[in-house]
Amino acid sequence: MKITVFILLLILFDLVLSDSYSTEYYTYGYRKSSKMLRRHLANTNIIISSPHAGSEMPDDVPDRTIGGCQRNSSQICTFHYNDTCTDGIRCSITTVQDFGSFDRFAEWIVEELYETYDIIPFVIIGNWNRKKIDFNRDKMEATFQHPKAIKAYNGYHNYIEKAIRRINKNFNGKGLLLDVHQHAQGNYTMVGIRLSADQLNRNNLSFTSIESLIKDSCPDDRNECIRGSKAFGTILESNGLGISYPSLNNPKPNNKTFYKGGYITNYYSSKINVIQTELSFVVRNEFEPKLYVRKYVQALLHFMKVNQLLQDDDYI
């Protein structure tokens, strides 16, 4: 019975699928602040998050560009949309977009996974510009406590929470949350698993956002899963996607800019394996877009298979 239902869902999936995924196949968060694949269609233990892909600028949500406020009597920065900060100094925040306009990279991952492998992940994509909201920060900094931004933020993270609960229920808690970003710091990919450049440079591999994966796949040598033959960076490189840090050939970023992962990586790593990939704008532009996506998906599935993580059993 379960198999029959799953086959019918796949047939329905084909009917609504076009070269660019039909919007009927997605649903939206509060006031289209985010775009998400309908959860009941997912058939695997992968969650794709793209929090900085959006470019929409709702007029009635204030910009976050003013920054937070550090009171003269405090060392803490607070964030509120109508704070004049007359008794303190402004503390800056990051509002630069990962992409110049709305980026379909996450959607292209979904298309490639389904069309080539019959795999349907959970996926959520930020639609609002980072000047209005940052889905990859804690709620206060992300929203500046504006009511409309809070509703948008809650919708994004509620989707991730529910997807994790589905994975915990149907796949014994084994899964991967992949947080996708882009940077312009150079021609290399950053694989963020909560280890800073300084930690990697000093060989301090003590605690990561993939501890569950390491326990199952690399119990005797955690280095193997972090920057050895089973590491995501190593597998990205073996699929022709340029230099990645950390990896077998490039274990240390040395003095290069390196992002270890943001709020999503830190917060959800207690519930599921999480990796933040900072893709190089330079490297991406060397490829035809769909070819880059194809190679990225091949690397993702290779990584999950070599670490016995990939599951796509029928559970609907």
Side-chain angles (χ1 to χ4, degrees):
M1 178 64 182
K2 287 185 176 180
I3 294 174
T4 302
V5 173
F6 181 61
I7 291 172
L8 289 173
L9 279 171
L10 288 181
I11 293 171
L12 176 62
F13 200 49
D14 279 322
L15 291 175
V16 301
L17 191 67
S18 62
D19 289 338
S20 60
Y21 262 34
S22 169
T23 53
E24 296 176 42
Y25 199 56
Y26 284 88
T27 187
Y28 290 91
Y30 172 73
R31 292 182 54 193
K32 294 192 174 181
S33 56
S34 56
K35 182 177 182 179
M36 58 202 77
L37 198 69
R38 298 183 186 277
R39 282 190 306 273
H40 71 277
L41 295 171
N43 68 353
T44 190
N45 57 343
I46 303 171
I47 306 169
I48 308 292
S49 164
S50 184
H52 297 157
S55 57
E56 295 298 313
M57 296 280 287
D59 293 335
D60 55 348
V61 177
D63 286 0
R64 301 166 59 250
T65 49
I66 59 170
C69 184
Q70 181 180 324
R71 283 344 196 253
N72 295 329
S73 58
S74 174
Q75 298 297 314
I76 299 172
C77 193
T78 58
F79 305 92
H80 200 281
Y81 66 95
N82 62 3
D83 187 350
T84 58
C85 197
T86 55
D87 57 342
I89 58 173
R90 289 292 182 187
C91 36
S92 62
I93 61 168
T94 303
T95 57
V96 176
Q97 283 294 103
D98 290 7
F99 313 95
S101 59
F102 182 78
D103 186 77
R104 292 197 63 236
F105 184 72
E107 291 179 66
W108 288 338
I109 292 175
V110 176
E111 290 181 25
E112 177 66 16
L113 281 169
Y114 173 68
E115 293 174 2
T116 305
Y117 303 99
D118 286 337
I119 290 174
I120 310 169
F122 300 90
V123 62
I124 183 158
I125 305 161
N127 271 347
W128 283 4
N129 191 288
R130 202 174 180 185
K131 291 180 180 179
K132 301 294 184 178
I133 191 169
D134 191 335
F135 295 110
N136 196 30
R137 294 292 185 272
D138 69 81
K139 189 183 294 188
M140 184 179 289
E141 182 180 347
T143 66
F144 275 43
Q145 302 181 69
H146 190 273
K148 293 176 181 176
I150 289 173
K151 288 182 180 179
Y153 184 91
N154 287 343
Y156 194 99
H157 286 276
N158 285 344
Y159 180 92
I160 294 176
E161 291 280 7
K162 290 177 180 178
I164 291 173
R165 286 201 291 270
R166 287 282 298 276
I167 288 171
N168 286 338
K169 178 182 178 181
N170 295 293
F171 297 116
N172 299 316
K174 291 186 176 183
L176 177 67
L177 168 53
L178 191 63
D179 198 39
V180 181
H181 299 258
Q182 178 174 272
H183 74 92
Q185 302 296 330
N187 62 341
Y188 57 94
T189 296
M190 310 175 201
V191 180
I193 53 173
R194 292 189 72 181
L195 295 176
S196 66
D198 181 63
Q199 287 176 294
L200 291 167
N201 292 339
R202 292 188 294 107
N203 300 317
N204 177 4
L205 311 180
S206 58
F207 189 76
T208 72
S209 56
I210 55 168
E211 287 301 307
S212 175
L213 181 151
I214 291 171
K215 180 181 178 182
D216 291 339
S217 188
C218 304
D220 299 321
D221 182 10
R222 61 192 293 108
N223 185 75
E224 192 68 9
C225 281
I226 294 171
R227 54 188 184 186
S229 62
K230 292 184 176 182
F232 194 36
T234 300
I235 294 171
L236 287 169
E237 290 184 349
S238 70
N239 278 271
L241 292 175
I243 297 169
S244 291
Y245 295 100
S247 66
L248 188 61
N249 292 326
N250 298 282
K252 300 178 181 182
N254 296 313
N255 61 350
K256 290 183 172 62
T257 299
F258 184 81
Y259 304 140
K260 67 177 183 177
Y263 175 81
I264 288 172
T265 303
N266 292 328
Y267 180 76
Y268 290 107
S269 61
S270 64
K271 305 179 181 184
I272 193 171
N273 296 297
V274 191
I275 295 177
Q276 175 176 303
T277 55
E278 287 278 353
L279 310 175
S280 167
F281 171 79
V282 177
V283 175
R284 278 187 68 181
N285 280 353
E286 292 175 357
F287 291 86
E288 186 276 324
K290 291 298 183 71
L291 176 60
Y292 185 93
V293 170
R294 192 175 309 126
K295 287 177 174 290
Y296 184 87
V297 168
Q298 287 171 352
L300 170 62
L301 296 183
H302 182 187
F303 169 74
M304 294 193 71
K305 288 176 181 177
V306 79
N307 289 291
Q308 292 87 49
L309 189 60
L310 182 66
Q311 299 183 45
D312 59 351
D313 296 334
D314 171 31
Y315 63 93
I316 299 174

